[in-house]
Amino acid sequence: MTKTHHLGHLSVLISGASVAGPALALNLARRGARVTVVEKAPALRAGGFAVDFRGHVHRRVLTAMGIWDEVHARQTYMGAQSVVAADGTPRVELPAEMMSGDVEIFRGDLAQLMYERTKDSVEYVFGDSVTTLTDTAGGVEVAFERGAPRRFDLVVGADGLHSNTRRLVFGEESRHLRFLGHYVAGFTVPNHLGLDRTGRLYSDPGRCVGLSNYDGDPERAGALLVFRSERLAYDRRDVAAQKRILTERFAGMGWETPAVLAGLAETDDLYFDAIAQIHVERLTRGRVALLGDAGYGATMGGMGTGVAIVGAYVLAGELALAGGDHRVALAAYEHRIRDFAKGCQKVSGNAGPFFAPPTERRIRSRDRMYRLLASRPLAGFFKRLTEKAATAIELPEYPA
């Protein structure tokens, strides 16, 4: 029997419609697979942090997916950002390529453009989630919170750092989440500094406050709070409690912190989480696979979106090479993506200490190092350094 690269015989359930899910849906739908994406949110999530792509691997994958030009059309055009002293005096300029890569786009805009490309060929189910997964010889029996039970040939968990799919198949989150000693928060505040596609960062020991404007809107800015901490116990659904934690942790801090905390009290779009990584022994089990943050996530600094896009491309490509044989394809996906993802995770381990060094001495040392790296003689080296992890994978030629 001749192996076919067309996947019309393959039914795939993807849990999660942030970035990794729509990316896989796009790659699979182009090869004819019957794809369903289930998302617990009532609609596609808008907004979110800006995400960047850097190096030739990201460019190759985005080009193969047919969205390279659209990503550029919707990019932020973010410029350089500055580390400042308490009085606002610039201490270090962080080049755009360091913070924003070759091209940068809001997470919500990226998800939207992939959704637009797939909405007519992929079934999207919003406002629902998976409750049980039973792997059988003939497929995965899936029960949903609201919808009727269904069977799929393959299930992919693309549902983020706190993945429900991972919990159901690979065990409780506590087995896989590695806390990195810091917390991060992001939210919208008034643009009282008049920033225009630039940003400011201020650190004192163990804490960092950032203000940035990525979209040129004169009225809005994004606030970033990072702080060093022991592991905290809090309800992820209790926004008021999270605001109290942040208010207490940043009390008495200088620069624009009082204005940022005033904005925190009024915001309705707070994101708050531990800076952490996901480490699993296996990315696949039977007919179930983990993709993106669900399998190899990092809260920030690990090029998570780039890794997710590459992972989606590899998973779909390996399924095409294997003619839809999940045993062959999932083993090849795991073999090819694991070391690449781990390399990018290593970079993310520096995120907390970069934003919130533990002492004044470490803050001064950070500023000296980045002042040197951003200088003209080292500019090329610095760019190669920021791209190293993002390009550390050899991609085969997958069938179209």
Side-chain angles (χ1 to χ4, degrees):
M1 181 177 177
T2 302
K3 184 184 293 184
T4 175
H5 299 312
H6 190 273
L7 299 177
H9 60 291
L10 190 71
S11 64
V12 182
L13 174 67
I14 301 171
S15 177
S18 179
V19 169
L24 180 61
L26 175 57
N27 281 287
L28 288 175
R30 294 171 71 235
R31 294 178 167 92
R34 293 173 285 122
V35 181
T36 298
V37 179
V38 61
E39 167 59 51
K40 65 180 179 180
L44 206 65
R45 292 187 176 101
F49 288 112
V51 298
D52 65 74
F53 299 100
R54 56 188 74 212
H56 65 88
V57 171
H58 290 175
R59 175 169 185 152
R60 174 179 168 181
V61 170
L62 293 171
T63 300
M65 291 171 63
I67 61 173
W68 173 256
D69 291 337
E70 287 186 80
V71 168
H72 274 74
R74 304 191 194 194
Q75 67 179 301
T76 64
Y77 293 103
M78 186 65 172
Q81 303 187 50
S82 298
V83 175
V84 299
D87 62 359
T89 304
R91 297 174 62 164
V92 185
E93 184 174 276
L94 304 173
E97 59 266 26
M98 174 196 167
M99 303 296 282
S100 303
D102 298 332
V103 63
E104 182 179 59
I105 182 173
F106 283 110
R107 184 208 57 78
D109 289 346
L110 178 62
Q112 182 66 40
L113 76 85
M114 291 190 292
Y115 172 74
E116 290 169 357
R117 285 290 189 97
T118 56
K119 63 182 180 181
D120 295 330
S121 56
V122 170
E123 177 190 15
Y124 282 87
V125 180
F126 290 100
D128 206 351
S129 61
V130 175
T131 56
T132 64
L133 294 167
T134 305
D135 202 338
T136 72
V140 185
E141 303 288 347
V142 183
F144 298 92
E145 185 177 359
R146 297 186 179 181
R150 296 170 65 178
R151 174 185 284 187
F152 297 88
D153 296 318
L154 186 68
V155 173
V156 179
D159 42 354
L161 204 70
H162 304 291
S163 169
N164 180 51
T165 309
R166 187 184 62 238
R167 179 184 63 80
L168 291 172
V169 178
F170 297 82
E172 291 298 324
E173 181 176 294
S174 58
R175 294 173 52 185
H176 310 296
L177 190 139
R178 185 179 300 173
F179 176 59
L180 298 182
H182 294 78
Y183 285 83
V184 60
F187 49 96
T188 302
V189 296
N191 188 8
H192 69 277
L193 292 183
L195 301 174
D196 184 7
R197 290 188 169 88
T198 187
R200 307 284 185 268
L201 292 170
Y202 170 67
S203 301
D204 71 12
R207 301 186 293 185
C208 176
V209 174
L211 284 168
S212 57
N213 173 276
Y214 282 80
D215 60 4
D217 186 331
E219 303 298 324
R220 300 185 310 156
L224 175 74
L225 300 178
V226 178
F227 65 95
R228 183 181 176 90
S229 175
E230 70 286 354
R231 191 73 179 266
L232 301 176
Y234 66 95
D235 186 343
R236 292 182 56 238
R237 295 164 295 184
D238 189 342
V239 176
Q242 295 166 30
K243 289 185 177 183
R244 285 194 298 271
I245 291 170
L246 291 166
T247 301
E248 292 169 2
R249 293 285 176 152
F250 285 86
M253 190 170 175
W255 188 54
E256 300 293 334
T257 306
V260 170
L261 293 180
L264 170 66
E266 301 297 325
T267 192
D268 61 0
D269 65 351
L270 175 64
Y271 167 86
F272 179 75
D273 208 341
I275 297 182
Q277 295 176 348
I278 293 297
H279 293 268
V280 292
E281 292 181 6
R282 295 287 307 276
L283 295 172
T284 64
R285 181 170 291 173
R287 293 174 179 266
V288 179
L290 299 176
L291 173 67
D293 284 354
Y296 31 86
T299 310
M300 62 189 304
M303 293 171 282
T305 302
V307 181
I309 292 285
V310 174
Y313 176 75
V314 169
L315 179 52
E318 294 296 344
L319 282 165
L321 279 178
D325 185 329
H326 71 278
R327 290 160 297 190
V328 174
L330 296 190
Y333 159 70
E334 175 138 15
H335 174 74
R336 194 169 296 280
I337 206 71
R338 176 174 285 279
D339 288 345
F340 173 63
K342 284 186 175 180
C344 292
Q345 281 187 320
K346 287 181 181 178
V347 178
S348 76
N350 299 321
F354 166 77
F355 285 104
T359 64
E360 286 285 1
R361 182 179 178 182
R362 293 283 185 87
I363 292 172
R364 292 193 297 270
S365 177
R366 175 203 63 184
D367 293 350
R368 285 195 301 271
M369 181 178 69
Y370 281 92
R371 195 177 298 119
L372 178 64
L373 288 172
S375 64
R376 187 178 296 274
L378 292 179
F381 166 77
F382 186 51
K383 187 176 190 300
R384 291 192 298 274
L385 187 66
T386 63
E387 293 178 355
K388 183 178 179 181
T391 58
I393 186 172
E394 292 291 332
L395 295 177
E397 291 294 331
Y398 290 122

